[in-house]
Amino acid sequence: MSSRTRARSRRAVKVPAGATAVRIPAQRGHGRRAAQPFVVVVPERPSFLREMAGLFGGLLWDHRRALAPIALSVLLFVLTGLAHWLVWWSGLLLAPSAAAPLVWLLFVERHRPSKVRGVRRWRITLALFATAALAWAALAAGFGPLSGPLVLLWLLITIAAQTLWLIGRGTSDAEES
């Protein structure tokens, strides 16, 4: 009987419950003849928690552009909390930046005035919104993002940003097609 047709003895490999063992036999000419085969342990089914995490992560990844304002808002919330914890006086440094969007609005209206009412409304809305967001950031860095009505203000600014983002993306998509 040749070595090809002779049954080889298999050594028992312990496999955890709920898993499938796939045995890959040793290849000819690679290494010793008595070398152990590779054993790959593959779980039979992913857990429910793993399935839900994968589904949720996939949805977030697919809609990442639409959810950009929420992600930036949460990041700003964490950063202002960290700034307040490390250096409470950082709010004093951020306070003058709240006037920057209004300065931008005056500059743009003076150097590039628009005769279209819709453009002027968007500029004013965005400038006021950015002023509110920067003022919130300065107050949150100074007093902490969880103090007083700052949490509610953060939530309202986040909802407004997400709404404006989706409206703006909807109008730009309609213009392109």
Side-chain angles (χ1 to χ4, degrees):
M1 194 188 305
S2 74
S3 64
R4 290 185 197 169
T5 58
R6 186 174 359 148
R8 297 185 184 185
S9 64
R10 296 185 186 227
R11 295 184 184 181
V13 177
K14 293 186 178 181
V15 178
T20 303
V22 179
R23 291 177 177 80
I24 302 173
Q27 300 296 313
R28 241 187 250 157
H30 298 292
R32 302 177 313 195
R33 267 192 179 261
Q36 292 291 322
F38 290 100
V39 176
V40 179
V41 179
V42 181
E44 286 185 13
R45 287 189 325 161
S47 68
F48 180 73
L49 183 62
R50 166 72 173 91
E51 286 286 329
M52 288 297 108
L55 178 69
F56 187 67
L59 283 173
L60 285 178
W61 183 255
D62 290 343
H63 300 289
R64 64 188 180 273
R65 286 187 182 173
L67 298 173
I70 291 176
L72 289 174
S73 181
V74 169
L75 178 67
L76 185 63
F77 190 87
V78 170
L79 288 179
T80 55
L82 189 62
H84 172 71
W85 184 59
L86 292 175
V87 283
W88 64 267
W89 46 267
S90 61
L92 297 173
L93 298 175
L94 287 174
S97 69
L102 297 176
V103 171
W104 169 82
L105 179 65
L106 292 173
F107 179 80
V108 168
E109 285 298 321
R110 175 167 291 191
H111 292 283
R112 295 187 62 117
S114 176
K115 294 182 169 73
V116 181
R117 290 181 75 190
V119 172
R120 190 173 293 155
R121 283 186 198 153
W122 270 105
R123 286 178 180 174
I124 292 170
T125 302
L126 291 176
L128 291 175
F129 175 72
T131 300
L134 288 170
W136 177 88
L139 288 170
F143 297 107
L146 296 174
S147 64
L150 288 179
V151 176
L152 179 62
L153 186 60
W154 173 80
L155 184 63
L156 292 174
I157 290 172
T158 302
I159 291 170
Q162 185 66 42
T163 304
L164 286 174
W165 180 260
L166 291 176
I167 290 171
R169 284 176 50 95
T171 56
S172 65
D173 292 341
E175 291 171 0
E176 290 175 4
S177 55

